[in-house]
Amino acid sequence: MSSARVDYIAPWWTYWLHNFPHINLRFQPIDNSFQPEEENYQQSLIFLACVAAAGLGLNLLCLAIYLSCLCCCHKDEEEESKKPNSCCVTWSAVIAGLITCIAVGVGFYGNSETNDGVYQLTYSLYNANHTLGGVDSLVTGTMGSMKSGLHQHLARLDEIFATRGDYVQTLQFMQQMADNVIKQLLGLPDWEEAKVDLASIADQTARVEYYRWLTYLLILILDLIICLLACLGLAKQSRWLLTTMMVFGVLTLVLSWTSLGADLATAVGTSDFCVSPDKFLLSQTKGVIGTDIVHYYLYCNQTLSNPFQQPLTIFQRSLTTMQIQIHGLLQFAVPLFPTAERDLLGIQHVLNSSEASLHQLTALLDCRGLNKDYLDAMVGVCYDGVEGVLYLCLFSSLASCAFTVMLCAIPRAWRQIACRERDYDDIDEEDPFNPRARRIEAQNPNLTNMHSFCSYSSSMGSQTSIHPPTVSNAPMSENM
């Protein structure tokens, strides 16, 4: 099998992120090697999150300055009514909507890629834990059968063969072989001393990943809904809807910058691990598991010898020797001591089960299984995982830009709507060409009839006042 170094090569984006400046909170450059337990290294990742927080503060400051200038800049109402600049607001809304749609698409892809990478990591951890657990169970079971089952059978046979010294020496030789097998099994590494439960790590990782995936899914849906409602408010010219969406836009802007800081710190820290994962694993297993064993599983090269080959070979030879001795006793001692047959068959059964365990143990201790799990985990984390986090960083950046444009366009649109309504209220309601007066007449026809009647009466009165008085021949008294 080819070496792991040929199969796994860290992607270029991990080197790019690994070369990011690592600065602690005291503004001192530190080593960029992956050291999660070091305080300075933790501060360097926190510093990247603080950079995103500074970007958020600068963005909010620019928005505040823009809104202040917009409120303080008063134009002539007549000039503003003639030139409403609605085209600028429309194009700003269109640009913000397009950027939001692109950002949401990128976010969905990045969220899915990150989830796939973490799933591959947890799957590899479960497989590796199953392999190590199988090795421990086989070693424990074989040692238990050798200590208890084989020892009881040999003790009873020692009593049966008490009169035959050669048979007793054969039993003593078998006891020495069994002790040798136990010694070889004790020489195998005890994985429990590493105090690392891969299954619990996989469970915690899967749980954290589920909540992370769900949180980003809700953020993506929220961004899309806010953008659609803002466009709806601009189309309907609803001031209360625009005001509500402006408040939610500020909250979403804060969420975008916060997620950008968290994703950037995660991507840089993971890339530091992906550039040299062997170095970190060797430092973690130092003093617990031999360096040659760790190298054997990390590289799995044909040039590397199996560190378990010698104890496994001695185990096999001891079992073979014991089986030859049992076969001879069954052939020559049973005719003389029939009661010994049961214990001899019991020893043969123990040896057969131990040989089957030996074959399984040899397969599990081979480097190809654990090395494949290691490579799958590295590919899942460093390729799909880091790539997905980078897409999430791009989503956060695009979302912050989109909502910044939207927060700049909404106040201007709100002001234009207010100015139009004010100009609309200043029009004379008695003007017959006023559309508002027409709507009032259509809604209240009685007011229209009353207005016409009053006009007719007043016109009649005016016509009467225009004509001269008629001359009458009647006497003055009659006229009076």
Side-chain angles (χ1 to χ4, degrees):
M1 180 179 176
S2 60
S3 63
R5 185 58 57 190
V6 176
D7 292 338
Y8 169 72
I9 300 177
W12 63 267
W13 52 80
T14 57
Y15 288 100
W16 177 65
L17 292 170
H18 178 66
N19 292 326
F20 269 32
H22 289 63
I23 302 174
N24 58 11
L25 297 180
R26 293 183 295 273
F27 299 99
Q28 298 174 352
I30 63 170
D31 187 16
N32 58 356
S33 59
F34 185 69
Q35 299 173 351
E37 67 279 355
E38 293 292 333
E39 183 180 359
N40 286 328
Y41 184 79
Q42 296 173 3
Q43 291 182 3
S44 66
L45 298 181
I46 296 175
F47 181 80
L48 294 175
C50 292
V51 170
L56 171 62
L58 183 62
N59 193 354
L60 293 177
L61 180 62
C62 294
L63 281 175
I65 294 174
Y66 172 78
L67 294 177
S68 301
C69 295
L70 186 63
C71 293
C72 296
C73 181
H74 294 287
K75 291 184 178 181
D76 225 3
E77 292 184 359
E78 182 180 356
E79 182 182 355
E80 190 174 351
S81 61
K82 292 180 180 180
K83 297 179 180 180
N85 292 327
S86 60
C87 183
C88 179
V89 176
T90 303
W91 279 108
S92 299
V94 171
I95 292 173
L98 289 177
I99 296 177
T100 303
C101 292
I102 295 173
V104 169
V106 172
F108 272 111
Y109 179 76
N111 198 27
S112 177
E113 283 292 306
T114 305
N115 187 58
D116 292 341
V118 175
Y119 173 78
Q120 190 170 354
L121 170 64
T122 55
Y123 185 77
S124 300
L125 290 176
Y126 283 128
N127 282 342
N129 184 74
H130 178 72
T131 300
L132 298 180
V135 171
D136 291 336
S137 63
L138 287 174
V139 171
T140 303
T142 303
M143 290 178 60
S145 62
M146 286 291 176
K147 287 181 178 180
S148 62
L150 188 63
H151 180 72
Q152 292 176 1
H153 291 299
L154 290 177
R156 285 195 293 266
L157 289 174
D158 192 26
E159 296 178 358
I160 296 173
F161 298 151
T163 58
R164 294 292 301 267
D166 53 348
Y167 292 164
V168 172
Q169 291 180 357
T170 302
L171 296 178
Q172 293 177 354
F173 179 74
M174 292 178 62
Q175 183 63 49
Q176 292 178 358
M177 292 291 102
D179 294 338
N180 192 20
V181 169
I182 294 174
K183 181 180 178 180
Q184 299 303 321
L185 292 177
L186 290 174
L188 296 177
D190 188 4
W191 307 105
E192 295 181 355
E193 291 183 359
K195 297 180 181 180
V196 176
D197 189 2
L198 297 180
S200 63
I201 294 177
D203 292 336
Q204 295 176 2
T205 304
R207 189 181 303 109
V208 172
E209 170 59 20
Y210 171 74
Y211 287 112
R212 185 211 62 82
W213 174 82
L214 183 61
T215 301
Y216 266 99
L217 183 64
L218 295 177
I219 291 175
L220 292 168
I221 296 175
L222 180 63
D223 289 355
L224 193 59
I225 291 175
I226 291 175
C227 180
L228 292 177
L229 291 179
C231 294
L232 181 63
L234 291 174
K236 295 293 185 180
Q237 296 186 357
S238 174
R239 285 192 292 177
W240 70 268
L241 186 58
L242 291 178
T243 304
T244 305
M245 289 304 102
M246 189 171 182
V247 174
F248 281 102
V250 174
L251 295 177
T252 308
L253 187 64
V254 174
L255 287 177
S256 299
W257 279 101
T258 304
S259 62
L260 177 61
D263 292 337
L264 184 60
T266 303
V268 172
T270 308
S271 298
D272 293 337
F273 169 75
C274 292
V275 168
S276 57
D278 306 342
K279 180 180 178 181
F280 175 74
L281 294 176
L282 286 172
S283 64
Q284 292 296 313
T285 56
K286 186 177 181 180
V288 179
I289 302 175
T291 306
D292 55 342
I293 298 175
V294 179
H295 272 283
Y296 174 68
Y297 286 112
L298 290 181
Y299 297 98
C300 195
N301 199 335
Q302 292 290 347
T303 59
L304 297 175
S305 60
N306 189 346
F308 308 111
Q309 187 63 43
Q310 183 177 359
L312 292 177
T313 302
I314 296 175
F315 187 8
Q316 177 67 50
R317 290 176 180 176
S318 299
L319 289 178
T320 303
T321 303
M322 293 171 69
Q323 287 176 347
I324 293 174
Q325 297 296 329
I326 290 297
H327 182 71
L329 290 176
L330 286 173
Q331 184 177 2
F332 298 104
V334 169
L336 300 175
F337 302 94
T339 56
E341 183 177 6
R342 180 179 179 183
D343 290 316
L344 291 175
L345 291 177
I347 293 175
Q348 191 176 31
H349 176 71
V350 171
L351 295 178
N352 291 333
S353 63
S354 298
E355 187 175 6
S357 298
L358 172 64
H359 293 309
Q360 296 179 10
L361 189 62
T362 303
L364 291 177
L365 289 176
D366 190 77
C367 67
R368 288 174 291 182
L370 288 176
N371 182 257
K372 182 180 182 302
D373 295 333
Y374 166 71
L375 293 179
D376 291 342
M378 289 298 100
V379 170
V381 172
C382 302
Y383 280 82
D384 294 338
V386 178
E387 183 183 4
V389 173
L390 286 178
Y391 277 109
L392 290 177
C393 291
L394 180 59
F395 152 72
S396 300
S397 302
L398 292 176
S400 61
C401 293
F403 282 100
T404 300
V405 174
M406 187 181 71
L407 291 175
C408 292
I410 286 179
R412 186 173 292 275
W414 193 90
R415 185 178 179 182
Q416 289 181 6
I417 294 171
C419 292
R420 288 178 182 177
E421 291 182 354
R422 185 171 61 251
D423 296 338
Y424 195 64
D425 293 335
D426 291 339
I427 300 176
D428 187 8
E429 295 182 358
E430 295 182 357
D431 187 2
F433 297 99
N434 184 9
R436 183 174 180 181
R438 294 178 182 177
R439 287 197 299 267
I440 293 175
E441 292 177 1
Q443 294 175 358
N444 299 317
N446 295 328
L447 295 177
T448 306
N449 296 333
M450 186 180 297
H451 184 271
S452 301
F453 175 75
C454 296
S455 301
Y456 177 75
S457 302
S458 59
S459 62
M460 290 294 293
S462 62
Q463 291 176 3
T464 307
S465 60
I466 292 175
H467 292 285
T470 56
V471 180
S472 175
N473 296 327
M476 182 63 67
S477 59
E478 294 178 3
N479 290 329
M480 290 176 64

